[in-house]
Amino acid sequence: MKELSLGKELISEFMGTMVLILFGTGTVAMTVLFGEGLGITWTNITIGWGLAVLLGVMAGLPSGAHINPAVTFGLAVTGRFPWRKVIPFSLAQTAGAFVGAAIVFIDFKAKWLMVDPNLASTAGIFCTFPAIPDTFLPGFIDQIIGTAILLFGILAAGDFAAKNNVGWTVPFIVALLVTVIGMALGAMNGYAINPARDFGPRMFALVSGFTQGNLMDLSIVLTPILGPLVGGAVGALVYDMTTGAVHKAQE
């Protein structure tokens, strides 16, 4: 297969992340804006995000479908991805997340303004906030753990698929993985486990006039950026030292 140019890879990452955020934050918007009338629950959100990951991965397949700077960084740390592409990929992913959030807002705007006319309380549709306010560490630990599990699972799925010649299963496994991370670990800090997923929509909320007081508090902004980057590297390194080493020993 012909290798893509960097520009085409960036388009792929942009589109994959845009699709991820369109369906992911769209699910949250449905829950917040219509949830009481439709009976939508946390389960809907976690399943919606899982399906959003599946569709985002499919949209971003030409570039490897990282759709997450933590994935890109974790792969680079373990020598699976060139460092020179880490920043361009991360910027494309964040831009895609920004646009995905914009599409959701445009779609729901009329209802949104009925529910929150001053845009003062619904920024959480776009970005994450800590369950334990006014402290950095609990959310930071949560994001490290969640993203480490994500990277470990992605690499395990990739090796399983390669060994058994079932590459088509990887998007589905990763989608299920994200779903269960949300169900099992999601409430502590909104399970961003993806810096672009949080920061791109957060920036859209900022420039669109959302006035929630803690939207840009430094500790809240940094938690879903630094935590996933650390967690992605940890998860990939742990995989290589454990299950990945076993796979290599069997080759």
Side-chain angles (χ1 to χ4, degrees), residues 25-105:
T25 59
T27 301
V28 182
M30 286 284 288
T31 303
V32 173
L33 304 178
F34 298 93
E36 185 173 339
L38 298 178
I40 299 174
T41 65
W42 178 255
T43 301
N44 295 76
I45 292 178
T46 56
I47 293 174
W49 273 108
L51 292 172
V53 168
L54 172 62
L55 297 173
V57 168
M58 299 302 289
L61 276 178
S63 58
H66 297 187
I67 61 173
N68 182 344
V71 173
T72 302
F73 184 70
L75 296 179
V77 166
T78 54
R80 293 178 170 89
F81 189 73
W83 280 104
R84 64 182 176 82
K85 293 184 180 181
V86 169
I87 291 178
F89 265 52
S90 299
L91 292 174
Q93 293 153 359
T94 303
F98 183 99
V99 173
I103 294 171
V104 169
F105 185 66

Side-chain angles (χ1 to χ4, degrees), residues 107-186:
D107 185 58
F108 286 103
K109 185 176 180 180
K111 177 65 174 179
W112 210 309
L113 294 177
M114 289 178 61
V115 173
D116 183 16
N118 297 316
L119 301 179
S121 61
T122 51
I125 290 174
F126 291 127
C127 49
T128 64
F129 293 89
I132 311 298
D134 304 319
T135 181
F136 173 76
L137 195 58
F140 181 64
I141 292 171
D142 168 76
Q143 289 298 289
I144 291 174
I145 292 172
T147 317
I149 293 169
L150 175 66
L151 262 291
F152 190 101
I154 288 172
L155 295 177
D159 278 348
F160 167 81
K163 181 175 289 186
N164 295 282
N165 197 27
V166 287
W168 62 271
T169 64
V170 175
F172 296 93
I173 294 171
V174 175
L176 288 172
L177 176 61
V178 171
T179 301
V180 77
I181 289 173
M183 289 179 170
L185 303 169

